Amino acid sequence: MLGTVVNSIAIIVGGTIGTLLKVGIPERFKNIVMQGVALSVMIIGISSGLQFNNLMVAIVSLVIGGVIGEALDIEGYLNKLGDVLQKKLSKDNSSTISKGFVTASLVYCIGAMAIVGSLKDGLSGDHSILFAKSVLDGISSIIFASTFGIGVVFSAISVFLYQGSISLGASFLQGLLTKPVIDDMTAVGGVLIFAISLNMLEIKNIKVGNLLPAIFIPIFYQILLNMIKGF
């Protein structure tokens, strides 16, 4: 869990610095910075999305995961939590606290580093991947918070719960997480990261939160394969 704790602290520190910087940055500079960040997120998503082992598994995972996420309305719960934070911290209806919390939570929780790093943290005590992720998240949280505000800081809670849960459950997943499974999980995560960039650029409003279960569908596909081989 050490890697997750460090990661969460890095986001809090970076988000706090960015929130303090937000006050003195003109709106036009915030806009161009956010566009630059969104394009960078898009490139990360594309590169990760092409790392699939089985394209059909990735496609089916997005479909099934989307149906599950829509039924659970994960995005709705994330938005409600963000709105609660916004009401508590700001009386300005145009505040971006909620958007900052949701966007940062999704960006930091989706991707190979969050999943693989948490697994290694839990299985072998190897914190190196999450330490590297902490540096990246800390820097990006400064940029996010300088545009969205303090909501980015609270995304550290999402990261702690998400990555911590994976680390604690790593021993149960060890036998299932072969390289092909991790590759397909990475590819699905890459597609979701790309979708986040479209939301940030306001090209299309995609319910990325409702697609989150798709990341874990390749694990269930592997379980199904193991069962078939067992017969």
Side-chain angles (χ1 to χ4, degrees):
M1 287 288 288
L2 178 60
T4 294
V5 171
V6 172
N7 198 171
S8 300
I9 293 174
I11 293 171
I12 292 171
V13 173
T16 301
I17 294 172
T19 301
L20 295 174
L21 292 174
K22 184 177 187 292
V23 179
I25 301 178
E27 193 64 32
R28 62 192 182 97
F29 286 103
K30 292 178 186 175
N31 291 336
I32 196 64
V33 167
M34 185 48 57
Q35 288 172 0
V37 172
L39 291 172
S40 301
V41 170
M42 182 179 288
I43 293 298
I44 294 171
I46 292 172
S47 61
S48 297
L50 294 174
Q51 294 182 31
F52 58 85
N53 173 72
N54 187 324
L55 180 57
M56 285 307 300
V57 171
I59 294 172
V60 172
S61 295
L62 287 165
V63 173
I64 296 176
V67 171
I68 294 172
E70 187 68 26
L72 297 174
D73 194 20
I74 299 172
E75 180 98 353
Y77 284 112
L78 277 174
N79 286 326
K80 286 177 183 177
L81 182 54
D83 291 341
V84 169
L85 289 173
Q86 185 160 306
K87 289 177 182 177
K88 294 283 186 182
L89 299 172
S90 176
K91 295 180 179 179
D92 183 3
N93 291 330
S94 63
S95 173
T96 56
I97 291 175
S98 178
K99 187 175 182 180
F101 167 75
V102 175
T103 301
S105 293
L106 292 173
V107 169
Y108 297 146
C109 290
I110 295 172
M113 292 185 80
I115 297 171
V116 178
S118 298
L119 290 170
K120 287 198 171 189
D121 193 7
L123 289 172
S124 62
D126 181 356
H127 315 303
S128 57
I129 294 178
L130 288 186
F131 283 168
K133 181 175 181 290
S134 299
V135 175
L136 296 174
D137 290 355
I139 294 172
S140 63
S141 64
I142 295 175
I143 300 172
F144 277 128
S146 68
T147 302
F148 289 129
I150 199 170
V152 175
V153 174
F154 289 93
S155 68
I157 299 173
S158 303
V159 170
F160 182 81
L161 295 175
Y162 178 78
Q163 293 182 181
S165 298
I166 295 176
S167 293
L168 292 175
S171 58
F172 300 101
L173 299 172
Q174 184 177 13
L176 296 170
L177 291 168
T178 59
K179 187 180 184 300
V181 172
I182 292 175
D183 286 345
D184 288 333
M185 292 175 72
T186 299
V188 174
V191 174
L192 301 192
I193 290 173
F194 179 80
I196 292 171
S197 72
L198 297 181
N199 287 348
M200 293 172 68
L201 291 169
E202 298 182 349
I203 294 175
K204 178 71 176 178
N205 183 26
I206 300 173
K207 295 180 179 180
V208 179
N210 287 352
L211 288 166
L212 277 176
I215 296 176
F216 301 98
I217 298 299
I219 296 177
F220 292 98
Y221 174 73
Q222 185 62 42
I223 293 174
L224 181 61
L225 282 183
N226 293 345
M227 290 173 63
I228 293 174
K229 290 177 182 177
F231 286 117

